[in-house]
């Protein structure tokens, strides 16, 4: 069984997860498995809206089931710090349709 | 296995991955695995204004199950090689 592009390289780093229902959850990747189930520490959800700036909801320690994951992005903390999330207006992401 | 091998040969090329939630991400193909999960580097979301959700992300892992299309450079396709490989696969499968 080939490992391929594992998530090994992003363990203990801040990541941004886009879930199949269109949510964006940011946290520190603590663990993962072959099914892409992940353990996310210090996580918070970023809620995007067209009417107000990005809302951040604290979640804590989460396990996210791999079935429900679309994208795992390596968050560039410098870039992220330069963003003013209170000024960002956007439609929430669409859910995945298979 | 055919497309896994095909994508392995495309590592290093610029591709655009369109997902089933309509998000489109452009980047350099870093790696692919047996599930056709894709790792892209130097990523930019195609319509950044509409999708600011990934502004601070430069490298990402995309789950194979959520990919709708992978847009390739036109010189990334060797039609004859693909035809042969597909014929072989069809015979064996």
């Amino acid at each position: 069984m080939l490992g391929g592009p594992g998530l090994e390289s992003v363990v203990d780093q801040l990541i941004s997860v886009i879930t199949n229902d269109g949510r964006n959850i940011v946290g520190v990747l603590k663990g993962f498995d072959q099914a892409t189930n992940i353990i996310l520490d210090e996580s918070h959800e970023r809620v995007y809206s067209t009417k107000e700036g990005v809302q951040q909801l604290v979640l804590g320690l989460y396990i996210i089931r791999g079935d429900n994951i679309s994208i795992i992005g390596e968050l560039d903390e410098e870039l992220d710090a330069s963003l003013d999330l209170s000024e960002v207006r956007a439609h929430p992401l669409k859910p995945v349709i298979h | 296995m055919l497309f896994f091998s095909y994508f392995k040969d495309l590592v290093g090329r610029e591709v655009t991955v369109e997902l089933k939630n309509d998000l489109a991400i452009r980047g350099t193909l870093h790696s692919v695995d047996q599930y056709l999960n894709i790792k892209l580097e130097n990523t930019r979301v195609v319509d950044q204004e509409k999708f600011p959700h990934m502004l601070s992300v430069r490298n990402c892992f995309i789950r194979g199950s959520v990919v709708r299309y992978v847009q390739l450079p036109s010189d990334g396709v060797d039609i004859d090689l693909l035809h042969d490989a597909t014929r072989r696969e069809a015979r064996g499968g």
Side-chain angles (χ1 to χ4, degrees), chain A residues 1-96:
Chain A
M1 185 165 295
L2 294 144
L7 291 167
E8 197 72 51
S9 57
V10 267
V11 169
D12 279 324
Q13 288 186 53
L14 203 61
I15 58 167
S16 174
V17 181
I18 312 265
T19 56
N20 283 3
D21 56 355
R23 279 191 258 214
N24 186 359
I25 301 176
V26 173
V28 178
L29 181 68
K30 283 304 188 185
F32 64 95
D33 67 5
Q34 275 286 8
T36 330
N37 297 320
I38 62 174
I39 299 174
L40 216 54
D41 200 0
E42 302 160 27
S43 61
H44 60 269
E45 182 184 341
R46 290 187 181 171
V47 185
Y48 292 78
S49 122
T50 48
K51 304 235 175 86
E52 43 171 27
V54 178
Q55 248 196 311
Q56 306 213 61
L57 307 168
V58 174
L59 302 171
L61 183 61
Y62 256 43
I63 291 180
I64 304 181
R65 202 180 148 88
D67 286 1
N68 194 243
I69 292 173
S70 294
I71 302 173
I72 295 176
E74 189 179 328
L75 213 59
D76 183 326
E77 296 193 54
E78 268 181 40
L79 272 179
D80 204 49
S82 67
L83 284 178
D84 184 2
L85 290 173
S86 61
E87 292 302 313
V88 176
R89 303 281 184 279
H91 282 286
L93 284 167
K94 287 164 67 171
V96 166

Side-chain angles (χ1 to χ4, degrees), chain A residues 1-2 4-7 9 16 18 24 34-36 48 66-67 69-76 79-80 83 88 90-91 93-98, chain B residues 1 4 8 19-23 25 30-35 37-39 49-63 65-66 68:
Chain A
M1 185 165 295
L2 294 144
L7 291 167
S9 57
S16 174
I18 312 265
N24 186 359
Q34 275 286 8
T36 330
Y48 292 78
D67 286 1
I69 292 173
S70 294
I71 302 173
I72 295 176
E74 189 179 328
L75 213 59
D76 183 326
L79 272 179
D80 204 49
L83 284 178
V88 176
H91 282 286
L93 284 167
K94 287 164 67 171
V96 166
I97 307 171
H98 288 283
Chain B
M1 282 302 287
F4 176 33
K8 278 199 285 189
L19 281 73
K20 292 177 183 173
N21 58 4
D22 290 352
L23 198 57
I25 302 171
H30 172 272
S31 51
V32 69
D33 71 9
Q34 53 177 323
Y35 306 110
N37 294 328
I38 290 169
K39 241 189 178 180
E49 249 194 51
K50 193 170 170 199
F51 300 111
H53 312 76
M54 305 228 330
L55 278 174
S56 356
V57 172
R58 281 291 166 270
N59 304 317
C60 67
F61 168 98
I62 301 172
R63 203 159 188 269
S65 57
V66 87
R68 186 186 289 140

